[in-house]
Amino acid sequence: MDLKFNIKLLKTFVILIVFVSLFSLARTLSSLIPLGRYFVSDLNCFCILVSAIATFTVYILLFRPRGLFILNLERRVIASLLLILTIMSFSGAIINLISPEYKHVVLMPWYDIAQYSVLVSLSTMLLLTYVPAYFLNRCMLKCKWTFLEKAIFYPIISLTILGGTNLLLSLLNLHRYTTWSIILLVTSIIFIWYLVRLLRNGKSVVLNIDALEVLGLLLAIAFRLFVFYSAIGDNFLLRGDALFHIHQMAFVNKFNIIKYYYIYRRPYPVLFPLYWLAIANACSIPLINMATLIATFNQVFSIISMYAFVKLLTGSRLAGTISVILWTTLSGFGWISSIESPPKESLTSPLAYLKYISHIAGRFGCTSSPINPPTYIGGHTLARFWGLCVCLVALVAIIQYYINYRSPSYLFILSLSILHLIFGHPTELILVALALASAQLLFGDRVIDKNVLLSVGLSTLIGAIYHYLLGYPLSWCVLTLMPLFSLIISKLLRHELFLRNLIPNLKTLCIIYVFLCGLMYIAFALKYNTIYLRYPPYTLWYFPAIEWGFLGIASNLSIFILTLSESMDLRKNFALFLMFLQLFFLFMLNLINYYFLFIIIPFPFQPVLFYYILATIGSFMFLIRIPKSYHHFRYILALIVAVLIVIGSMDYILSVNFWRLATGYPTGYRVDLDEEDIQIINYLYNLNTSYPYLALFGAPIVHSNFAIRLSGMTFHPPIARLVFMSTEDLEELRFIFTLFPSEYILVLKPYQYFLKARSLFEKVSLIFENKKYRLIHIPYDVLKSPLVLPSTRDFLIVSKILFNNSKVEVRGRQGKYLEYPLCNGSIESVSNNYISICLKKGKDIKRLTFYLPTILLEGEIALVDLISEKRLTETKTLTLPLLSIEGVVSFNVISTFRQRIYLGNFTYEGGLYPREYSFKRLVDKYILINDISILNVISHSMGLIWTSTIIIIIIIRLLVNKYKLIKIVLTR
């Protein structure tokens, strides 16, 4: 007894020493990071959390304790707890119906919202996220899922129901607040009745709980929520892209889904905002405030889904917990750069400090930490983060179907997840496709399972048809069909020879990968002083080591240990094979972008969508069972991992500060929200108008995201704003307002609306005014229909067109066709939708007038005073004083005014000056600055040492293969 007590006392003493040492290390490193007076979270709390997590991993590695215990809970106890939450939701529904005080505003400061309303909203969110799926499964599906599977599958089912219901309500244009309050009321009553029946049930529920598993997950959740809410601080808004997704919710709620698709042609997918809006409408706090609680749910749900994925893949609770810890704590190298490159002068303002962090982030890539950390605490915490959560649920369904059970219920979840991604955030479909290919190759039959083919094929075909009908680019349709293509391709590759050589070849790939990773870090060291990645348009061969940060180091360490092991089972092979497939896809994406057709830059696929698989592979090192003769290796490994967690988490200090200061949209801008902003946002949200567009004066585009977008309205596209500000022609204003209908002008004080056509706005009616804003109604005379209604919203604007040595073809509205040989001349506006064409050939001069003709020019053409809807040349502007084209140009004139010609269906073939925007030239310049030859790295002294080391390890491994140094086992 004394011996056991002494051992426990010794363990406690060792853990305390480890914790104090790690806390000292964390506090020392954090004190070196230049923070100024703008650090917004408690450094001591941050260091305590990091040290506690690192100490926990040391305890797991050194002592491998067993924390399993059995918990008997009576059903009536569980029912009582659920009954309290349901009654809270019921009271919220009653409050919404009787006195919906929060539904007349879209945003309120948190200190003005009753705490009970926040608690009611949390309970309502959980109720609507789990209860519909629970009843559907109990009454109809009858799927026998485990508790962990239900925790991640039920939200996908429930949110499908909520999204479909909200879509129907939006199409019918019903009063959604009242409807959702009634839905919540009915759901609460049914669930209360069901729970009351359970209270009579005296049976017990037996739960097998691992205390260490629970502790590890709670530590990860605590750290995640700490950095998330530290980034928000005393503000009550999300950041970056999340502001746009809030705008989607507010827009659909203020207007409807039909108008959303009309205003935003080929719009950003709207399924996620649809079912988030359903939850927000049922809750008892304003919509924008509710978005923060939804983001909180995303943070917690991501931990549970990540844990489920790794646990069910490896069969190890330990691996699941450790993968979550690595994914949550490890980040990038930005803090190292901040220590060695402190600000040259005192940072006296938030903007100066924000600029400094942005510069630091750009050095090692703005696509990674501190701007884009693995845990999405910043601007991507809504749609992109939830897309990853849905993807993890899909991966769980794939694993359970292929590895454990061939139950159709998992294919049902897989199909729903694919549909969620198609209509919510299609980028993650790539991961689902690659995971299907890995599972089919490693665990599938020679013939593709018909059930898999049917479920995947049906869901992807629905998405492809949807994107095709709405006119999305072909790349979107291909992306939607990728899961189906992956199944077909994997079937073609799945034959005995391939499978027989897959496992040994995979181990060879691991050795090659470790060798290349070492070369990447050496290249990083050699280019360290000159490197500045910004937003990489192209992934150079050594970039992954930089962009993956400390998560890359953890996964590389784990892969190195796996290569020394006796064997690797298929479960770990699945993760490794999936990572190599992702790397192959990244290589192919860069290849296609550079040599064939630009599709999309590597971000967010690289590095954001690699983090989860890196954390998964990194957890494998904790599955080793080290012989007693090598106990010192365990101590070394524990020390390495603990220190890695502490130093790897330091970038979150910069991430928290960046996102606390970068309150605007697009990412990186700052806007301070005050009482006047909240007033105008809520006023616009309640403004009775049929037109979503709002004309804007004085406010920069960054600030307008608060004043307009958060209210559910939107502002005119740049081409319309330029015309609006510069024209003196009443007919042209009518033309623009017909294309982009609007009733109001919003003016940011002290600016005035500075129209050239100011005389048209002398008698305006003031609708709303506070210390910061003035809302003005546009005169009805300006809103009348123009002489000719516009036929398209895709157009260019020019003041005139010059041509030299050109062939001219003109086709009039009445079918009149004229063709002229090589000549010089010009095309100018005559107003009232007529143009004048001047043709010169020698001394002969002709002037012809046409009404809205279609024209083709072949030769040397110049567009004067061009205003375009999209960027045409290398210059970063939509306006050009002169654009020269040598080739063929065709267009039809859709309208003319005093000094402007509007051109529709504009096409050209030939060369441009300024030069046409070229992605290949951009990449060539980028490579020239940042690339380093792999041969130069190998021939360097560090490269030679690393190459020799790998060769020696391979030789020793081959010679002493019969002596097993390390044995990998699955800890269940």
Side-chain angles (χ1 to χ4, degrees):
M1 188 69 179
D2 291 338
L3 180 60
K4 289 184 178 180
F5 177 77
N6 290 335
I7 291 175
K8 289 182 179 179
L9 189 63
L10 179 62
K11 288 182 179 179
T12 304
F13 182 69
V14 170
I15 292 302
L16 284 175
I17 292 177
V18 170
F19 175 79
V20 172
S21 301
L22 293 175
F23 177 79
S24 300
L25 175 62
R27 199 65 183 86
T28 302
L29 291 176
S30 61
S31 65
L32 297 175
I33 300 174
L35 300 175
R37 57 188 180 90
Y38 298 105
F39 186 69
V40 295
S41 64
D42 190 339
L43 266 182
N44 288 326
C45 288
F46 177 85
C47 295
I48 288 172
L49 279 172
V50 170
S51 305
I53 293 173
T55 304
F56 173 80
T57 58
V58 170
Y59 180 73
I60 293 292
L61 264 177
L62 290 183
F63 305 118
R64 289 198 173 275
R66 295 182 178 273
L68 284 173
F69 66 90
I70 296 175
L71 181 64
N72 287 314
L73 285 177
E74 292 186 359
R75 288 181 183 269
R76 65 184 65 179
V77 175
I78 300 175
S80 299
L81 295 174
L82 293 176
L83 189 59
I84 294 173
L85 294 176
T86 309
I87 291 174
M88 291 176 64
S89 299
F90 175 81
S91 68
I94 296 296
I95 292 172
N96 289 346
L97 289 172
I98 296 176
S99 178
E101 58 177 312
Y102 296 126
K103 297 308 177 184
H104 298 300
V105 295
V106 71
L107 172 64
M108 287 181 68
W110 283 105
Y111 50 77
D112 287 340
I113 299 175
Q115 294 182 0
Y116 180 74
S117 297
V118 177
L119 293 176
V120 167
S121 298
L122 285 171
S123 63
T124 300
M125 179 171 60
L126 294 175
L127 181 78
L128 293 178
T129 306
Y130 283 96
V131 170
Y134 173 79
F135 281 124
L136 183 64
N137 185 39
R138 189 174 181 84
C139 300
M140 297 178 59
L141 300 178
K142 300 186 183 302
C143 300
K144 296 180 180 180
W145 293 321
T146 64
F147 177 79
L148 181 60
E149 290 172 339
K150 290 176 182 177
I152 62 173
F153 289 167
Y154 277 2
I156 302 300
I157 299 173
S158 294
L159 292 175
T160 303
I161 298 171
L162 296 182
T165 305
N166 209 26
L167 175 63
L168 181 62
L169 294 177
S170 186
L171 290 173
L172 297 176
N173 209 21
L174 295 177
H175 193 287
R176 289 174 285 281
Y177 288 138
T178 304
T179 306
W180 279 108
S181 297
I182 295 173
I183 291 173
L184 174 62
L185 186 67
V186 173
T187 306
S188 302
I189 292 173
I190 294 173
F191 198 49
I192 289 172
W193 171 79
Y194 176 76
L195 292 174
V196 169
R197 292 185 59 194
L198 281 183
L199 288 175
R200 304 170 187 169
N201 193 332
K203 294 182 180 180
S204 297
V205 177
V206 179
L207 298 176
N208 294 321
I209 297 177
D210 188 332
L212 293 175
E213 167 192 19
V214 174
L215 178 60
L217 292 179
L218 289 177
L219 285 172
I221 291 172
F223 180 83
R224 184 79 69 85
L225 294 183
F226 174 78
V227 295
F228 175 66
Y229 278 101
S230 294
I232 294 178
D234 56 2
N235 205 317
F236 34 82
L237 280 174
L238 299 178
R239 307 289 195 266
D241 288 2
L243 292 175
F244 173 73
H245 302 305
I246 292 173
H247 163 69
Q248 288 180 293
M249 296 163 63
F251 185 101
V252 174
N253 212 39
K254 182 175 176 62
F255 300 101
N256 54 53
I257 191 69
I258 296 175
K259 193 155 289 186
Y260 175 81
Y261 274 86
Y262 174 75
I263 295 296
Y264 297 102
R265 296 167 295 167
R266 299 182 293 276
Y268 197 93
V270 74
L271 176 62
F272 293 173
L274 264 180
Y275 51 62
W276 290 332
L277 180 59
I279 294 173
N281 281 336
C283 289
S284 302
I285 63 176
L287 187 152
I288 296 176
N289 300 84
M290 191 61 211
T292 303
L293 298 186
I294 292 171
T296 303
F297 175 81
N298 290 356
Q299 291 289 335
V300 177
F301 185 83
S302 68
I303 290 177
I304 299 173
S305 56
M306 178 68 178
Y307 168 78
F309 166 62
V310 180
K311 177 184 178 295
L312 296 174
L313 173 64
T314 62
S316 169
R317 299 181 180 188
L318 175 64
T321 305
I322 296 301
S323 66
V324 167
I325 287 175
L326 295 178
W327 185 42
T328 297
T329 56
L330 297 186
S331 194
F333 301 132
W335 64 276
I336 301 175
S337 179
S338 70
I339 291 176
E340 68 164 10
S341 303
K344 297 180 180 179
E345 55 186 21
S346 178
L347 301 176
T348 56
S349 69
L351 285 176
Y353 189 66
L354 180 60
K355 185 178 179 181
Y356 169 70
I357 300 180
S358 301
H359 174 76
I360 291 297
R363 185 175 180 188
F364 299 142
C366 295
T367 55
S368 56
S369 295
I371 295 180
N372 290 291
T375 51
Y376 294 77
I377 65 166
H380 300 140
T381 191
L382 283 181
R384 184 169 290 170
F385 198 23
W386 182 247
L388 179 61
C389 293
V390 174
C391 174
L392 289 172
V393 173
L395 295 187
V396 169
I398 292 170
I399 290 167
Q400 290 297 80
Y401 184 82
Y402 276 97
I403 299 180
N404 296 328
Y405 315 99
R406 294 279 173 152
S407 171
S409 63
Y410 296 113
L411 295 182
F412 170 68
I413 294 298
L414 176 60
S415 297
L416 279 185
S417 300
I418 290 175
L419 288 172
H420 275 240
L421 293 176
I422 289 173
F423 297 110
H425 201 264
T427 307
E428 286 74 18
L429 284 172
I430 301 168
L431 301 185
V432 176
L434 298 178
L436 279 170
S438 301
Q440 182 64 32
L441 288 170
L442 293 174
F443 309 109
D445 301 322
R446 291 186 180 181
V447 180
I448 299 179
D449 191 321
K450 292 182 180 179
N451 294 327
V452 178
L453 192 61
L454 178 63
S455 60
V456 173
L458 185 61
S459 54
T460 54
L461 285 175
I462 290 173
I465 292 171
Y466 164 81
H467 287 134
Y468 174 77
L469 293 178
L470 264 68
Y472 282 87
L474 179 63
S475 58
W476 279 67
C477 298
V478 174
L479 175 63
T480 304
L481 292 170
M482 274 194 67
L484 179 61
F485 291 158
S486 69
L487 282 175
I488 297 172
I489 294 172
S490 60
K491 192 270 178 187
L492 298 176
L493 294 176
R494 198 182 196 288
H495 52 82
E496 290 185 4
L497 180 62
F498 178 83
L499 287 179
R500 192 163 54 246
N501 295 325
L502 178 60
I503 304 306
N505 287 343
L506 195 59
K507 200 160 191 177
T508 303
L509 275 176
C510 287
I511 296 173
I512 296 173
Y513 171 78
V514 170
F515 172 65
L516 288 176
C517 283
L519 295 180
M520 289 181 194
Y521 291 119
I522 295 171
F524 179 30
L526 295 177
K527 294 282 291 183
Y528 185 80
N529 292 326
T530 59
I531 198 168
Y532 197 79
L533 301 188
R534 299 184 304 279
Y535 281 92
Y538 184 88
T539 305
L540 292 174
W541 69 273
Y542 70 98
F543 278 10
I546 305 172
E547 294 182 290
W548 291 349
F550 288 95
L551 257 178
I553 293 176
S555 66
N556 294 338
L557 177 62
S558 184
I559 292 175
F560 179 75
I561 294 174
L562 287 176
T563 58
L564 299 176
S565 65
E566 178 184 0
S567 62
M568 295 185 293
D569 61 74
L570 286 177
R571 291 172 179 264
K572 287 190 286 295
N573 285 338
F574 174 83
L576 291 169
F577 194 52
L578 180 56
M579 187 190 73
F580 289 137
L581 282 181
Q582 287 188 216
L583 284 170
F584 176 73
F585 178 85
L586 177 63
F587 170 77
M588 292 302 298
L589 177 64
N590 282 287
L591 195 70
I592 294 171
N593 278 345
Y594 185 76
Y595 289 104
F596 301 102
L597 174 68
F598 173 73
I599 301 174
I600 189 174
I601 62 173
F603 179 80
F605 184 75
Q606 162 65 13
V608 175
L609 296 185
F610 274 88
Y611 290 139
Y612 84 100
I613 197 66
L614 296 175
T616 302
I617 295 172
S619 68
F620 293 166
M621 75 175 82
F622 286 78
L623 299 180
I624 61 175
R625 180 165 295 164
I626 304 172
K628 292 183 179 179
S629 55
Y630 293 96
H631 63 277
H632 57 278
F633 180 77
R634 181 185 301 158
Y635 301 145
I636 296 173
L637 184 60
L639 178 64
I640 291 174
V641 173
V643 173
L644 192 65
I645 288 175
V646 171
I647 65 175
S649 64
M650 290 295 111
D651 227 32
Y652 275 108
I653 295 176
L654 293 178
S655 294
V656 165
N657 283 278
F658 177 85
W659 287 109
R660 174 62 189 273
L661 299 174
T663 53
Y665 177 79
T667 296
Y669 291 90
R670 177 171 176 79
V671 175
D672 293 313
L673 198 67
D674 55 28
E675 185 63 30
E676 283 71 26
D677 293 309
I678 297 175
Q679 287 176 6
I680 191 64
I681 289 170
N682 290 325
Y683 186 87
L684 291 174
Y685 182 70
N686 289 286
L687 186 64
N688 186 16
T689 177
S690 302
Y691 302 132
Y693 287 113
L694 189 66
L696 184 69
F697 285 99
I701 296 301
V702 175
H703 201 98
S704 64
N705 287 287
F706 293 91
I708 298 182
R709 286 191 179 273
L710 295 183
S711 69
M713 302 189 74
T714 188
F715 46 81
H716 293 95
I719 191 169
R721 290 200 299 271
L722 288 170
V723 173
F724 191 40
M725 301 277 287
S726 59
T727 186
E728 298 179 6
D729 193 325
L730 175 59
E731 278 299 314
E732 188 171 9
L733 279 176
R734 289 172 175 172
F735 183 84
I736 290 297
F737 280 125
T738 303
L739 279 173
F740 309 102
S742 178
E743 288 185 280
Y744 301 96
I745 300 173
L746 183 66
V747 182
L748 179 66
K749 297 179 179 179
Y751 297 95
Q752 301 292 327
Y753 48 94
F754 39 95
L755 291 170
K756 282 194 173 181
R758 186 175 297 178
S759 59
L760 302 175
F761 289 81
E762 288 179 350
K763 297 180 180 180
V764 295
S765 54
L766 184 65
I767 306 299
F768 173 87
E769 185 174 19
N770 62 16
K771 295 178 182 179
K772 197 170 184 178
Y773 294 98
R774 182 184 295 113
L775 186 65
I776 299 169
H777 195 286
I778 298 174
Y780 290 103
D781 187 49
V782 178
L783 298 178
K784 291 180 180 179
S785 297
L787 296 176
V788 175
L789 294 177
S791 57
T792 179
R793 287 193 289 173
D794 297 317
F795 55 84
L796 301 178
I797 304 174
V798 296
S799 62
K800 61 181 175 180
I801 302 172
L802 307 176
F803 51 88
N804 187 37
N805 294 325
S806 300
K807 175 185 174 183
V808 181
E809 296 180 11
V810 183
R811 188 181 299 274
R813 278 291 183 97
Q814 290 76 26
K816 184 179 179 181
Y817 176 77
L818 299 174
E819 181 177 341
Y820 300 92
L822 295 180
C823 59
N824 303 332
S826 63
I827 302 173
E828 299 183 27
S829 171
V830 192
S831 295
N832 297 325
N833 300 309
Y834 284 90
I835 62 163
S836 171
I837 303 179
C838 177
L839 301 171
K840 299 179 182 178
K841 189 169 185 181
K843 295 182 179 180
D844 296 333
I845 299 177
K846 289 184 179 180
R847 290 190 179 273
L848 305 172
T849 302
F850 291 90
Y851 179 78
L852 300 180
T854 299
I855 299 175
L856 183 143
L857 302 172
E858 183 176 356
E860 299 174 6
I861 304 105
L863 306 181
V864 182
D865 298 327
L866 171 69
I867 304 175
S868 62
E869 189 178 27
K870 58 184 179 181
R871 179 179 169 187
L872 296 176
T873 67
E874 288 184 330
T875 57
K876 297 180 180 180
T877 178
L878 301 179
T879 61
L880 289 171
L882 187 73
L883 175 65
S884 299
I885 304 174
E886 188 171 347
V888 180
V889 171
S890 66
F891 55 87
N892 60 287
V893 179
I894 60 175
S895 193
T896 65
F897 304 100
R898 291 179 191 171
Q899 296 178 349
R900 288 200 177 112
I901 306 172
Y902 283 65
L903 311 179
N905 298 319
F906 181 87
T907 62
Y908 70 91
E909 295 179 6
L912 298 184
Y913 183 81
R915 291 190 304 181
E916 183 179 14
Y917 174 77
S918 170
F919 179 77
K920 190 174 186 299
R921 283 198 300 270
L922 176 67
V923 171
D924 285 337
K925 183 178 179 180
Y926 189 82
I927 291 175
L928 183 65
I929 296 172
N930 293 291
D931 195 18
I932 181 172
S933 170
I934 191 171
L935 295 178
N936 292 340
V937 175
I938 294 175
S939 60
H940 192 271
S941 58
M942 289 188 291
L944 293 174
I945 294 172
W946 174 245
T947 304
S948 304
T949 303
I950 291 294
I951 293 173
I952 292 171
I953 291 174
I954 293 173
I955 293 174
I956 293 176
R957 179 63 185 161
L958 293 174
L959 292 176
V960 297
N961 192 41
K962 59 181 180 178
Y963 302 108
K964 307 299 184 286
L965 297 177
I966 299 173
K967 184 177 181 180
I968 305 293
V969 295
L970 285 175
T971 305
R972 296 184 184 273

